[in-house]
């Protein structure tokens, strides 16, 4: 059962995050303008709120899940370098001098 949840991708690349943010803001802005105009015409503020909430729900559905369109530009990471014992590199704690005691 848990393997099903582990197979669901949960990441988004940086360009996908930018695209999701632009889509989210665009839908919210358009729904706010439409809701304001419609609410002004019918003189009911409730309709304005409903239309903005519907825009929020649509934009959340489109931008919160990591859809494949948000994962088109994955980062290429550098390969891991193998650590050998004669590497000559010391850990930062090993090369620090111990404080001398005053007599």
């Amino acid at each position: 059962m848990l393997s099903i949840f582990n197979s669901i991708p949960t990441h988004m690349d940086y360009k996908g995050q930018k695209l999701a943010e632009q889509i989210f803001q665009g839908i919210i802005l358009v729904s706010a303008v439409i809701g304001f105009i419609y609410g002004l015409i019918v003189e009911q503020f409730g309709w304005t709120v409903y239309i903005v909430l519907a825009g929020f729900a649509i934009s959340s559905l489109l931008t919160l899940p990591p859809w494949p369109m948000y994962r088109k530009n994955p980062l290429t990471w550098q390969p891991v370098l193998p650590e050998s014992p004669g590497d000559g590199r010391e850990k930062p704690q090993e090369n620090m001098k111990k404080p001398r005691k005053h007599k």
Side-chain angles (χ1 to χ4, degrees), residues 48-62:
T48 302
V49 174
Y50 293 144
I51 292 172
V52 170
L53 288 176
F56 176 76
I58 291 169
S59 63
S60 295
L61 181 66
L62 289 176

Side-chain angles (χ1 to χ4, degrees), residues 43-103:
E43 297 179 359
Q44 288 289 323
F45 181 71
W47 279 105
T48 302
V49 174
Y50 293 144
I51 292 172
V52 170
L53 288 176
F56 176 76
I58 291 169
S59 63
S60 295
L61 181 66
L62 289 176
T63 59
L64 287 180
W67 299 108
M69 67 182 176
Y70 302 132
R71 293 184 277 126
K72 289 183 178 178
N73 303 302
L75 291 175
T76 53
W77 296 92
Q78 292 183 354
V80 176
L81 298 175
E83 187 176 329
S84 61
D87 212 4
R89 296 183 200 166
E90 295 180 358
K91 294 181 182 177
Q93 295 84 9
E94 292 174 356
N95 61 5
M96 292 179 65
K97 294 182 180 178
K98 294 182 182 179
R100 293 193 295 177
K101 294 183 181 180
H102 294 288
K103 292 184 180 182

Side-chain angles (χ1 to χ4, degrees), residues 2-70:
L2 289 177
S3 64
I4 294 171
F5 293 118
N6 289 336
S7 67
I8 298 172
T10 59
H11 63 281
M12 226 186 257
D13 58 46
Y14 289 115
K15 289 183 181 181
Q17 289 176 0
K18 182 179 179 182
L19 178 63
E21 180 70 23
Q22 290 172 343
I23 290 172
F24 185 80
Q25 289 179 354
I27 292 173
I28 292 293
L29 180 66
V30 168
S31 69
V33 169
I34 291 171
F36 178 75
I37 292 172
Y38 185 74
L40 189 64
I41 290 171
V42 297
E43 297 179 359
Q44 288 289 323
F45 181 71
W47 279 105
T48 302
V49 174
Y50 293 144
I51 292 172
V52 170
L53 288 176
F56 176 76
I58 291 169
S59 63
S60 295
L61 181 66
L62 289 176
T63 59
L64 287 180
W67 299 108
M69 67 182 176
Y70 302 132

